[in-house]
Each structure stands twice: as structure tokens, then as C-alpha cells.
Amino acid sequence: MSAATPWMLLAAAFAAALVTRFAGVVLSGRVEPETPLFDWFACVGQALVGGLMIRAIFLPTSALADPPELDRALAVAAGFAVFYLAGRHLLAGTLAGVAALAALTLVRGG
């Protein structure tokens, strides 16, 4: 592999990203957002994010795999509880979940 090949791949990826973004800008004025197709795309997007979150919590491959599964589940439950008790405040729920996991890890001596 020559030294120019990574730069050519980077340039090709950059060009592909620009072309798709330009096409999106050009076509965006002609698309009706209140259609069943857009609702389907929104549902698929939310399902993908939810699936990735569940995978990261219950099947982690990083340092998150060190705490027991029960601790990770309890931290998620604490985060959801604070999220709803704080009036659906995302930052409060996220901080509560992280704090709960940190506290459980410290209590277990991790």
C-alpha cells in the first residue's frame, strides 16, 4: 500500500459525504415530512439507538464489562427514576445513572 492510498481513501470518503449532504439540501425542500415513511424512519432510528444502548449495558466489550450486570441494571433503573422524577430532565437522569454505577462500583471494591 503506497503512502498516497490512505489520502485517496480519505478524499473519496470526504467527497461522498459532501455529495450526499448536497443532495439532501437540494431535495429537502421537496420532501413532505408528515408522511408514514418519515414516521417509519423515525421509529427505526429510535429502535437502533435503543438497541445499541441495551447492547452497551448488557453486552459491553469495553471497561463497562467490569461491573456486574446487576450493578449496570440498577444504575440504569436509577437513571430512569431520576429522569422521570426530575420532570424528564435528561442531564439529571444521566448524572444519576453514572453516579449510581460509580457508587455501586466503589461499594463492591472495584
Coordinates of all heavy atoms in Angstrom, one line a residue:
M1 N 0.9 -1.2 0.0 CA 0.0 0.0 0.0 C 0.9 1.2 0.0 O 1.8 1.4 0.8 CB -0.9 0.0 1.2 CG -1.8 1.2 1.3 SD -2.8 1.3 2.8 CE -4.0 0.0 2.5
S2 N 0.7 2.1 -0.9 CA 1.5 3.3 -1.0 C 1.0 4.3 0.0 O -0.1 4.2 0.5 CB 1.4 3.9 -2.4 OG 0.2 4.4 -2.7
A3 N 1.9 5.3 0.2 CA 1.5 6.4 1.2 C 0.4 7.2 0.7 O -0.3 7.8 1.5 CB 2.8 7.2 1.4
A4 N 0.2 7.3 -0.6 CA -0.9 8.1 -1.1 C -2.3 7.4 -1.0 O -3.3 8.1 -1.0 CB -0.7 8.5 -2.6
T5 N -2.3 6.1 -0.8 CA -3.6 5.4 -0.7 C -4.5 5.9 0.4 O -5.7 6.1 0.2 CB -3.3 3.9 -0.7 OG1 -2.6 3.6 -1.9 CG2 -4.6 3.1 -0.7
P6 N -4.0 6.0 1.6 CA -4.9 6.5 2.7 C -5.4 7.9 2.4 O -6.6 8.2 2.7 CB -4.0 6.5 3.9 CG -2.9 5.5 3.7 CD -2.7 5.6 2.2
W7 N -4.6 8.7 1.8 CA -5.1 10.1 1.5 C -6.2 10.0 0.4 O -7.1 10.8 0.4 CB -4.0 11.0 1.1 CG -3.1 11.3 2.2 CD1 -1.8 10.9 2.5 CD2 -3.4 12.2 3.3 NE1 -1.4 11.4 3.7 CE2 -2.3 12.2 4.2 CE3 -4.5 12.9 3.6 CZ2 -2.3 12.9 5.4 CZ3 -4.5 13.7 4.8 CH2 -3.5 13.7 5.7
M8 N -6.0 9.1 -0.6 CA -7.0 9.0 -1.6 C -8.3 8.4 -1.0 O -9.4 8.9 -1.4 CB -6.5 8.1 -2.7 CG -5.4 8.7 -3.6 SD -4.9 7.8 -5.0 CE -4.4 6.2 -4.4
L9 N -8.2 7.5 -0.1 CA -9.4 7.0 0.6 C -10.1 8.1 1.4 O -11.4 8.2 1.4 CB -9.1 5.8 1.5 CG -8.6 4.5 0.7 CD1 -8.1 3.5 1.8 CD2 -9.7 4.0 -0.1
L10 N -9.3 8.9 2.1 CA -9.9 10.0 2.9 C -10.6 11.0 1.9 O -11.7 11.4 2.2 CB -8.8 10.6 3.7 CG -9.3 11.8 4.6 CD1 -10.2 11.3 5.6 CD2 -8.1 12.5 5.2
A11 N -10.0 11.3 0.8 CA -10.6 12.2 -0.1 C -11.9 11.6 -0.7 O -12.8 12.4 -0.9 CB -9.6 12.5 -1.3
A12 N -11.9 10.4 -1.0 CA -13.1 9.7 -1.6 C -14.2 9.7 -0.5 O -15.4 10.0 -0.9 CB -12.8 8.3 -2.0
A13 N -13.9 9.5 0.7 CA -14.9 9.5 1.8 C -15.4 10.9 2.0 O -16.6 11.1 2.1 CB -14.3 9.0 3.1
F14 N -14.5 11.9 1.9 CA -14.9 13.3 2.1 C -15.9 13.7 0.9 O -16.9 14.3 1.1 CB -13.7 14.2 2.1 CG -14.0 15.6 2.4 CD1 -14.3 16.1 3.6 CD2 -13.9 16.5 1.3 CE1 -14.6 17.4 3.8 CE2 -14.1 17.9 1.5 CZ -14.5 18.3 2.8
A15 N -15.5 13.3 -0.3 CA -16.3 13.6 -1.5 C -17.7 13.0 -1.4 O -18.7 13.6 -1.7 CB -15.6 13.2 -2.7
A16 N -17.7 11.7 -0.9 CA -19.0 11.0 -0.8 C -19.9 11.7 0.2 O -21.1 11.9 0.0 CB -18.8 9.6 -0.4
A17 N -19.3 12.1 1.3 CA -20.1 12.8 2.4 C -20.6 14.2 1.8 O -21.8 14.5 2.1 CB -19.2 13.1 3.6
L18 N -19.8 14.9 1.1 CA -20.2 16.2 0.6 C -21.4 16.0 -0.5 O -22.3 16.7 -0.5 CB -19.1 16.9 -0.1 CG -18.1 17.6 0.9 CD1 -17.0 18.3 0.1 CD2 -18.9 18.6 1.7
V19 N -21.2 15.0 -1.3 CA -22.3 14.7 -2.3 C -23.6 14.4 -1.7 O -24.6 14.9 -2.1 CB -21.8 13.6 -3.3 CG1 -23.0 13.2 -4.2 CG2 -20.7 14.1 -4.2
T20 N -23.6 13.5 -0.7 CA -24.8 13.1 -0.1 C -25.5 14.3 0.7 O -26.7 14.5 0.7 CB -24.7 11.9 0.9 OG1 -23.6 12.2 1.8 CG2 -24.3 10.7 0.1
R21 N -24.6 15.1 1.4 CA -25.2 16.3 2.1 C -25.7 17.3 1.1 O -26.8 17.9 1.3 CB -24.1 16.9 2.9 CG -23.8 16.1 4.1 CD -22.9 16.8 5.2 NE -22.9 16.0 6.4 CZ -21.8 15.4 6.8 NH1 -20.7 15.5 6.2 NH2 -21.8 14.8 7.9
F22 N -25.0 17.5 0.0 CA -25.5 18.5 -1.0 C -26.9 18.0 -1.6 O -27.8 18.8 -1.8 CB -24.5 18.6 -2.2 CG -25.0 19.6 -3.2 CD1 -25.0 20.9 -3.0 CD2 -25.4 19.1 -4.5 CE1 -25.4 21.8 -4.0 CE2 -25.8 19.9 -5.5 CZ -25.8 21.3 -5.2
A23 N -27.0 16.7 -1.9 CA -28.2 16.1 -2.4 C -29.3 16.3 -1.3 O -30.5 16.6 -1.7 CB -28.0 14.7 -2.7
G24 N -29.0 16.1 -0.1 CA -30.0 16.3 1.0 C -30.5 17.7 1.0 O -31.7 18.0 1.2
V25 N -29.6 18.7 0.9 CA -30.0 20.1 0.9 C -30.9 20.4 -0.3 O -31.9 21.1 -0.2 CB -28.8 21.0 0.9 CG1 -29.1 22.5 0.7 CG2 -28.1 20.9 2.3
V26 N -30.5 19.9 -1.5 CA -31.3 20.2 -2.7 C -32.7 19.6 -2.6 O -33.7 20.2 -3.0 CB -30.5 19.7 -3.9 CG1 -31.4 19.7 -5.2 CG2 -29.3 20.5 -4.1
L27 N -32.8 18.3 -2.1 CA -34.1 17.6 -2.1 C -34.9 18.0 -0.8 O -36.1 17.7 -0.9 CB -33.8 16.1 -2.1 CG -33.1 15.6 -3.4 CD1 -32.8 14.1 -3.2 CD2 -34.0 15.8 -4.6
S28 N -34.4 18.6 0.2 CA -35.1 18.8 1.4 C -36.3 19.6 1.3 O -37.3 19.5 2.0 CB -34.2 19.3 2.5 OG -33.8 20.6 2.2
G29 N -36.3 20.6 0.4 CA -37.4 21.5 0.2 C -38.6 20.8 -0.5 O -39.7 21.2 -0.5
R30 N -38.4 19.6 -1.2 CA -39.4 18.9 -1.9 C -40.0 17.8 -1.1 O -40.9 17.1 -1.6 CB -38.8 18.4 -3.2 CG -38.2 19.5 -4.1 CD -37.7 18.9 -5.3 NE -36.9 19.9 -6.0 CZ -35.9 19.6 -6.9 NH1 -35.7 18.4 -7.2 NH2 -35.2 20.6 -7.4
V31 N -39.5 17.5 0.0 CA -40.0 16.3 0.8 C -41.0 16.8 1.8 O -40.8 17.8 2.6 CB -38.8 15.7 1.5 CG1 -39.2 14.5 2.4 CG2 -37.8 15.2 0.5
E32 N -42.1 16.0 1.9 CA -43.1 16.3 2.9 C -42.8 15.5 4.2 O -42.9 14.2 4.1 CB -44.5 15.9 2.3 CG -45.6 16.2 3.2 CD -45.8 17.7 3.5 OE1 -45.6 18.5 2.6 OE2 -46.2 18.0 4.6
P33 N -42.5 16.1 5.3 CA -42.1 15.4 6.5 C -43.2 14.7 7.2 O -42.9 13.7 8.0 CB -41.5 16.5 7.4 CG -42.1 17.7 6.9 CD -42.4 17.6 5.5
E34 N -44.4 15.0 7.0 CA -45.6 14.4 7.7 C -46.1 13.2 6.9 O -47.3 13.2 6.5 CB -46.7 15.4 8.0 CG -46.2 16.6 8.8 CD -45.7 16.2 10.2 OE1 -46.3 15.2 10.8 OE2 -44.7 16.8 10.7
T35 N -45.3 12.2 6.7 CA -45.7 11.1 5.9 C -45.4 9.8 6.7 O -44.6 9.8 7.6 CB -45.0 11.0 4.6 OG1 -43.6 10.8 4.8 CG2 -45.3 12.2 3.7
P36 N -46.1 8.7 6.4 CA -45.8 7.4 7.1 C -44.4 7.0 6.9 O -43.8 6.4 7.8 CB -46.8 6.4 6.5 CG -47.9 7.3 5.9 CD -47.3 8.6 5.5
L37 N -43.8 7.3 5.8 CA -42.4 6.9 5.5 C -41.5 7.6 6.5 O -40.6 6.9 7.1 CB -42.0 7.2 4.1 CG -40.6 6.8 3.7 CD1 -40.4 5.3 3.8 CD2 -40.2 7.3 2.3
F38 N -41.7 8.9 6.8 CA -40.8 9.6 7.7 C -41.1 9.0 9.2 O -40.1 9.0 10.0 CB -41.0 11.1 7.7 CG -40.1 11.8 6.7 CD1 -40.5 11.8 5.4 CD2 -38.9 12.3 7.1 CE1 -39.6 12.5 4.5 CE2 -38.1 12.9 6.2 CZ -38.4 13.0 4.9
D39 N -42.3 8.7 9.5 CA -42.6 8.1 10.8 C -41.9 6.8 10.9 O -41.3 6.5 12.0 CB -44.1 7.9 10.9 CG -44.9 9.2 11.1 OD1 -44.2 10.2 11.4 OD2 -46.1 9.2 10.8
W40 N -41.8 6.0 9.9 CA -41.1 4.7 9.9 C -39.6 4.9 10.1 O -39.0 4.2 11.0 CB -41.4 4.0 8.6 CG -40.7 2.6 8.6 CD1 -41.2 1.5 9.2 CD2 -39.5 2.3 8.0 NE1 -40.3 0.4 8.9 CE2 -39.2 0.9 8.2 CE3 -38.5 3.0 7.3 CZ2 -38.1 0.3 7.8 CZ3 -37.4 2.3 6.8 CH2 -37.2 1.0 7.1
F41 N -39.0 5.9 9.4 CA -37.6 6.2 9.6 C -37.3 6.6 11.0 O -36.3 6.3 11.6 CB -37.1 7.2 8.6 CG -36.8 6.7 7.3 CD1 -37.5 7.1 6.2 CD2 -35.8 5.8 7.1 CE1 -37.2 6.6 4.9 CE2 -35.4 5.3 5.9 CZ -36.1 5.7 4.8
A42 N -38.2 7.4 11.6 CA -38.0 7.9 13.0 C -38.1 6.7 13.9 O -37.3 6.6 14.9 CB -39.1 8.9 13.4
C43 N -39.0 5.8 13.7 CA -39.1 4.6 14.6 C -37.9 3.7 14.5 O -37.4 3.2 15.5 CB -40.4 3.8 14.3 SG -41.9 4.7 14.8
V44 N -37.4 3.5 13.3 CA -36.3 2.7 13.0 C -35.0 3.3 13.7 O -34.2 2.6 14.4 CB -36.0 2.4 11.6 CG1 -34.7 1.8 11.3 CG2 -37.1 1.6 11.0
G45 N -34.9 4.6 13.6 CA -33.8 5.3 14.2 C -33.8 5.2 15.7 O -32.8 4.9 16.4
Q46 N -35.0 5.4 16.3 CA -35.1 5.2 17.8 C -34.9 3.8 18.2 O -34.2 3.6 19.3 CB -36.5 5.7 18.2 CG -36.6 7.2 18.1 CD -38.0 7.7 18.5 OE1 -38.9 6.9 18.8 NE2 -38.2 9.0 18.4
A47 N -35.3 2.8 17.4 CA -35.1 1.4 17.8 C -33.6 1.1 17.7 O -33.1 0.4 18.6 CB -35.9 0.5 16.8
L48 N -32.9 1.6 16.7 CA -31.4 1.4 16.6 C -30.7 2.0 17.8 O -29.8 1.3 18.4 CB -30.9 2.0 15.3 CG -31.2 1.2 14.1 CD1 -30.8 2.1 12.8 CD2 -30.5 -0.1 14.1
V49 N -31.1 3.2 18.2 CA -30.4 3.8 19.4 C -30.7 3.0 20.6 O -29.8 2.7 21.4 CB -30.8 5.3 19.5 CG1 -30.4 5.8 20.9 CG2 -30.3 6.1 18.4
G50 N -32.0 2.6 20.8 CA -32.3 1.8 22.0 C -31.6 0.5 22.0 O -31.1 0.0 23.0
G51 N -31.5 -0.2 20.8 CA -30.8 -1.5 20.8 C -29.3 -1.3 21.1 O -28.7 -2.2 21.8
L52 N -28.7 -0.3 20.6 CA -27.3 0.0 20.9 C -27.1 0.3 22.4 O -26.1 -0.1 23.0 CB -26.8 1.1 20.0 CG -26.6 0.8 18.6 CD1 -26.2 2.0 17.8 CD2 -25.5 -0.3 18.4
M53 N -28.0 1.0 23.0 CA -27.9 1.3 24.4 C -28.0 0.0 25.2 O -27.2 -0.3 26.1 CB -29.0 2.3 24.9 CG -28.7 3.7 24.4 SD -30.0 4.9 24.8 CE -30.8 4.3 26.2
I54 N -29.0 -0.9 24.9 CA -29.2 -2.1 25.6 C -27.9 -3.0 25.4 O -27.4 -3.6 26.4 CB -30.4 -2.9 25.1 CG1 -31.7 -2.1 25.5 CG2 -30.5 -4.3 25.6 CD1 -31.8 -1.9 27.0
R55 N -27.4 -3.0 24.2 CA -26.2 -3.8 23.9 C -25.0 -3.3 24.8 O -24.2 -4.1 25.3 CB -25.8 -3.8 22.5 CG -24.7 -4.7 22.1 CD -24.4 -4.7 20.6 NE -23.4 -5.7 20.3 CZ -22.1 -5.4 20.3 NH1 -21.7 -4.3 20.6 NH2 -21.3 -6.4 20.0
A56 N -24.8 -2.0 24.8 CA -23.7 -1.4 25.6 C -23.9 -1.7 27.1 O -22.9 -1.8 27.8 CB -23.7 0.1 25.4
I57 N -25.1 -1.8 27.6 CA -25.3 -2.0 29.0 C -25.2 -3.5 29.4 O -24.5 -3.8 30.3 CB -26.7 -1.5 29.4 CG1 -26.7 0.0 29.3 CG2 -27.1 -1.9 30.9 CD1 -28.1 0.6 29.4
F58 N -25.8 -4.4 28.6 CA -25.9 -5.8 29.0 C -24.8 -6.7 28.2 O -24.6 -7.8 28.7 CB -27.3 -6.3 28.8 CG -28.3 -5.7 29.7 CD1 -29.2 -4.8 29.2 CD2 -28.2 -5.9 31.1 CE1 -30.1 -4.2 30.1 CE2 -29.1 -5.3 31.9 CZ -30.0 -4.4 31.5
L59 N -24.3 -6.2 27.1 CA -23.2 -7.0 26.4 C -22.0 -6.1 26.1 O -21.6 -6.0 25.0 CB -23.8 -7.5 25.1 CG -25.0 -8.5 25.3 CD1 -25.6 -8.7 23.9 CD2 -24.6 -9.8 25.9
P60 N -21.5 -5.4 27.1 CA -20.4 -4.5 26.8 C -19.1 -5.2 26.5 O -18.8 -6.3 26.9 CB -20.2 -3.7 28.1 CG -20.7 -4.7 29.2 CD -21.8 -5.5 28.5
T61 N -18.3 -4.5 25.7 CA -17.0 -5.0 25.3 C -15.9 -4.1 25.8 O -14.7 -4.4 25.5 CB -16.9 -5.2 23.8 OG1 -17.1 -3.9 23.2 CG2 -17.9 -6.2 23.2
S62 N -16.2 -3.1 26.5 CA -15.2 -2.2 27.0 C -15.0 -2.3 28.5 O -15.4 -3.3 29.1 CB -15.6 -0.8 26.6 OG -16.9 -0.5 27.2
A63 N -14.6 -1.2 29.1 CA -14.4 -1.2 30.6 C -15.7 -1.3 31.3 O -15.8 -1.7 32.5 CB -13.7 0.1 31.0
L64 N -16.8 -1.1 30.6 CA -18.2 -1.2 31.2 C -18.5 -2.7 31.5 O -19.4 -3.0 32.3 CB -19.2 -0.6 30.3 CG -20.6 -0.5 30.9 CD1 -20.6 0.4 32.1 CD2 -21.6 0.1 29.8
A65 N -17.7 -3.6 31.0 CA -17.9 -5.0 31.3 C -17.4 -5.4 32.7 O -17.8 -6.5 33.1 CB -17.2 -5.9 30.2
D66 N -16.6 -4.6 33.3 CA -16.1 -4.9 34.6 C -17.1 -5.0 35.7 O -17.1 -5.9 36.5 CB -14.9 -4.0 35.0 CG -13.7 -4.1 34.1 OD1 -13.6 -5.2 33.4 OD2 -12.9 -3.2 34.0
P67 N -18.0 -4.0 35.9 CA -19.0 -4.1 36.9 C -20.0 -5.2 36.6 O -20.3 -5.5 35.4 CB -19.7 -2.7 36.9 CG -18.9 -1.8 36.1 CD -18.1 -2.7 35.2
P68 N -20.6 -5.8 37.6 CA -21.5 -6.9 37.4 C -22.8 -6.4 36.7 O -23.1 -5.2 36.7 CB -21.9 -7.4 38.8 CG -20.9 -6.8 39.7 CD -20.3 -5.7 39.0
E69 N -23.5 -7.3 36.0 CA -24.6 -6.9 35.2 C -25.7 -6.3 36.1 O -26.4 -5.4 35.7 CB -25.2 -8.1 34.5 CG -26.3 -7.8 33.5 CD -26.6 -9.0 32.7 OE1 -25.7 -9.6 32.0 OE2 -27.8 -9.4 32.7
L70 N -25.9 -6.8 37.3 CA -26.8 -6.3 38.3 C -26.6 -4.8 38.6 O -27.5 -4.0 38.6 CB -26.9 -7.1 39.6 CG -27.8 -6.6 40.6 CD1 -29.2 -6.7 40.1 CD2 -27.6 -7.4 41.9
D71 N -25.3 -4.5 38.8 CA -25.0 -3.1 39.1 C -25.3 -2.2 37.9 O -25.8 -1.1 38.0 CB -23.5 -2.9 39.4 CG -23.1 -3.5 40.7 OD1 -24.1 -4.0 41.5 OD2 -21.9 -3.5 41.1
R72 N -25.0 -2.7 36.7 CA -25.3 -1.8 35.5 C -26.8 -1.7 35.4 O -27.3 -0.6 35.0 CB -24.7 -2.5 34.2 CG -23.2 -2.6 34.2 CD -22.6 -3.0 32.9 NE -23.1 -4.2 32.4 CZ -22.5 -5.4 32.5 NH1 -21.4 -5.5 33.1 NH2 -23.1 -6.5 31.9
A73 N -27.6 -2.7 35.6 CA -29.1 -2.6 35.5 C -29.6 -1.7 36.6 O -30.5 -0.9 36.4 CB -29.7 -4.0 35.7
L74 N -29.1 -1.8 37.8 CA -29.5 -0.9 38.9 C -29.2 0.6 38.6 O -30.0 1.5 38.9 CB -28.9 -1.3 40.2 CG -29.4 -2.6 40.8 CD1 -28.5 -2.9 42.1 CD2 -30.8 -2.5 41.2
A75 N -28.0 0.8 38.0 CA -27.7 2.2 37.6 C -28.6 2.7 36.5 O -29.0 3.9 36.6 CB -26.2 2.2 37.1
V76 N -29.0 1.9 35.6 CA -30.0 2.3 34.5 C -31.3 2.6 35.2 O -32.0 3.6 34.9 CB -30.1 1.2 33.4 CG1 -31.3 1.5 32.5 CG2 -28.8 1.1 32.6
A77 N -31.8 1.7 36.1 CA -33.0 2.0 36.8 C -33.0 3.3 37.6 O -34.0 4.0 37.5 CB -33.3 0.8 37.7
A78 N -31.9 3.5 38.3 CA -31.8 4.8 39.0 C -31.8 6.0 38.1 O -32.4 7.0 38.3 CB -30.5 4.8 39.8
G79 N -31.1 5.9 36.9 CA -31.1 7.0 36.0 C -32.5 7.2 35.4 O -32.9 8.4 35.3
F80 N -33.3 6.2 35.1 CA -34.6 6.4 34.6 C -35.5 7.0 35.7 O -36.3 7.8 35.4 CB -35.2 5.0 34.1 CG -34.9 4.7 32.7 CD1 -34.3 3.6 32.4 CD2 -35.4 5.6 31.7 CE1 -34.0 3.3 31.1 CE2 -35.1 5.3 30.4 CZ -34.4 4.1 30.1
A81 N -35.4 6.5 36.9 CA -36.2 7.0 38.0 C -35.9 8.5 38.2 O -36.9 9.3 38.3 CB -35.9 6.3 39.3
V82 N -34.7 8.9 38.2 CA -34.4 10.4 38.4 C -34.8 11.1 37.2 O -35.4 12.3 37.3 CB -32.9 10.6 38.7 CG1 -32.5 12.0 38.6 CG2 -32.5 10.0 40.0
F83 N -34.7 10.6 36.0 CA -35.1 11.2 34.8 C -36.6 11.6 34.9 O -37.0 12.7 34.6 CB -34.9 10.3 33.6 CG -35.5 10.8 32.3 CD1 -34.9 11.9 31.6 CD2 -36.6 10.2 31.8 CE1 -35.5 12.3 30.4 CE2 -37.2 10.6 30.6 CZ -36.6 11.7 29.9
Y84 N -37.4 10.6 35.3 CA -38.9 10.9 35.4 C -39.3 11.8 36.6 O -40.1 12.6 36.5 CB -39.7 9.6 35.4 CG -39.7 9.0 34.0 CD1 -39.0 7.9 33.6 CD2 -40.5 9.6 33.0 CE1 -39.1 7.3 32.4 CE2 -40.5 9.1 31.7 CZ -39.8 8.0 31.4 OH -39.9 7.5 30.1
L85 N -38.6 11.5 37.7 CA -38.9 12.3 38.9 C -38.5 13.8 38.7 O -39.0 14.7 39.4 CB -38.2 11.7 40.1 CG -38.8 10.4 40.6 CD1 -37.9 9.8 41.7 CD2 -40.2 10.6 41.1
A86 N -37.5 14.0 37.9 CA -37.0 15.4 37.7 C -37.7 16.1 36.5 O -37.2 17.0 35.9 CB -35.5 15.4 37.4
G87 N -38.8 15.5 36.1 CA -39.6 16.1 35.0 C -39.0 15.9 33.7 O -39.0 16.8 32.8
R88 N -38.5 14.7 33.5 CA -37.9 14.3 32.2 C -36.7 15.1 31.8 O -36.5 15.5 30.7 CB -39.0 14.3 31.1 CG -40.1 13.3 31.4 CD -41.1 13.3 30.3 NE -40.5 12.9 29.0 CZ -41.0 12.1 28.2 NH1 -42.1 11.5 28.5 NH2 -40.4 11.8 27.0
H89 N -35.9 15.4 32.8 CA -34.7 16.2 32.6 C -33.5 15.2 32.3 O -33.1 14.4 33.2 CB -34.4 17.0 33.9 CG -33.3 18.0 33.7 ND1 -32.0 17.8 34.0 CD2 -33.4 19.3 33.2 CE1 -31.3 18.9 33.7 NE2 -32.2 19.8 33.2
L90 N -33.0 15.2 31.1 CA -32.0 14.3 30.6 C -30.7 14.3 31.4 O -30.2 13.3 31.7 CB -31.8 14.5 29.1 CG -30.9 13.5 28.4 CD1 -31.5 12.1 28.5 CD2 -30.7 13.8 27.0
L91 N -30.2 15.5 31.6 CA -29.0 15.6 32.3 C -29.0 15.0 33.7 O -28.1 14.3 34.2 CB -28.5 17.1 32.4 CG -27.1 17.3 33.0 CD1 -26.0 16.6 32.3 CD2 -26.8 18.8 33.1
A92 N -30.1 15.3 34.4 CA -30.3 14.8 35.8 C -30.3 13.2 35.8 O -29.7 12.6 36.6 CB -31.6 15.3 36.4
G93 N -31.1 12.6 34.9 CA -31.1 11.2 34.8 C -29.8 10.6 34.4 O -29.4 9.6 35.0
T94 N -29.1 11.2 33.5 CA -27.7 10.7 33.1 C -26.8 10.8 34.2 O -26.0 9.8 34.5 CB -27.2 11.5 31.9 OG1 -28.2 11.4 30.8 CG2 -25.9 11.0 31.4
L95 N -26.7 11.9 34.9 CA -25.8 12.0 36.0 C -26.1 11.1 37.2 O -25.2 10.5 37.8 CB -25.8 13.5 36.5 CG -25.2 14.5 35.6 CD1 -25.4 15.9 36.2 CD2 -23.8 14.2 35.3
A96 N -27.4 10.8 37.4 CA -27.8 9.9 38.4 C -27.4 8.5 38.1 O -26.9 7.7 39.0 CB -29.3 10.0 38.6
G97 N -27.6 8.1 36.8 CA -27.1 6.8 36.4 C -25.6 6.6 36.5 O -25.2 5.5 37.0
V98 N -24.9 7.6 36.1 CA -23.4 7.5 36.2 C -23.0 7.4 37.7 O -22.1 6.6 38.1 CB -22.8 8.6 35.5 CG1 -21.3 8.7 35.8 CG2 -23.0 8.5 34.0
A99 N -23.6 8.3 38.5 CA -23.3 8.3 39.9 C -23.7 7.0 40.6 O -22.9 6.5 41.5 CB -24.0 9.5 40.6
A100 N -24.8 6.4 40.2 CA -25.2 5.2 40.8 C -24.2 4.0 40.5 O -23.8 3.2 41.3 CB -26.6 4.8 40.4
L101 N -23.8 4.0 39.2 CA -22.8 3.0 38.8 C -21.5 3.2 39.5 O -20.9 2.2 40.0 CB -22.6 3.0 37.3 CG -21.7 1.9 36.7 CD1 -22.2 0.5 37.1 CD2 -21.5 2.0 35.3
A102 N -21.1 4.4 39.6 CA -19.8 4.7 40.3 C -19.9 4.3 41.8 O -19.0 3.7 42.4 CB -19.5 6.2 40.2
A103 N -21.0 4.6 42.4 CA -21.2 4.3 43.9 C -21.2 2.7 44.1 O -20.6 2.2 45.0 CB -22.5 4.9 44.4
L104 N -22.0 2.1 43.2 CA -22.0 0.6 43.3 C -20.7 0.0 43.1 O -20.3 -1.0 43.7 CB -23.0 0.0 42.3 CG -24.5 0.3 42.7 CD1 -25.4 0.0 41.5 CD2 -24.9 -0.5 43.9
T105 N -19.9 0.5 42.2 CA -18.6 0.0 41.9 C -17.6 0.2 43.1 O -16.9 -0.7 43.5 CB -18.0 0.7 40.6 OG1 -18.8 0.4 39.5 CG2 -16.6 0.1 40.3
L106 N -17.7 1.4 43.7 CA -16.9 1.7 44.9 C -17.3 0.8 46.1 O -16.5 0.3 46.8 CB -17.0 3.2 45.3 CG -16.3 4.1 44.3 CD1 -16.6 5.6 44.7 CD2 -14.8 3.9 44.4
V107 N -18.6 0.6 46.2 CA -19.1 -0.2 47.4 C -18.6 -1.7 47.2 O -18.2 -2.3 48.2 CB -20.6 -0.2 47.5 CG1 -21.2 -1.3 48.4 CG2 -21.1 1.2 47.9
R108 N -18.6 -2.2 46.0 CA -18.1 -3.5 45.7 C -16.6 -3.6 45.7 O -16.1 -4.7 45.5 CB -18.7 -4.0 44.4 CG -20.2 -4.2 44.5 CD -20.7 -5.1 43.3 NE -22.1 -5.1 43.2 CZ -22.9 -6.0 43.8 NH1 -22.4 -6.9 44.5 NH2 -24.2 -5.9 43.6
G109 N -15.9 -2.5 45.8 CA -14.4 -2.5 45.9 C -13.8 -2.6 44.5 O -12.7 -3.1 44.4
G110 N -14.5 -2.0 43.5 CA -13.9 -2.1 42.1 C -13.1 -0.9 41.8 O -12.5 -0.1 42.1

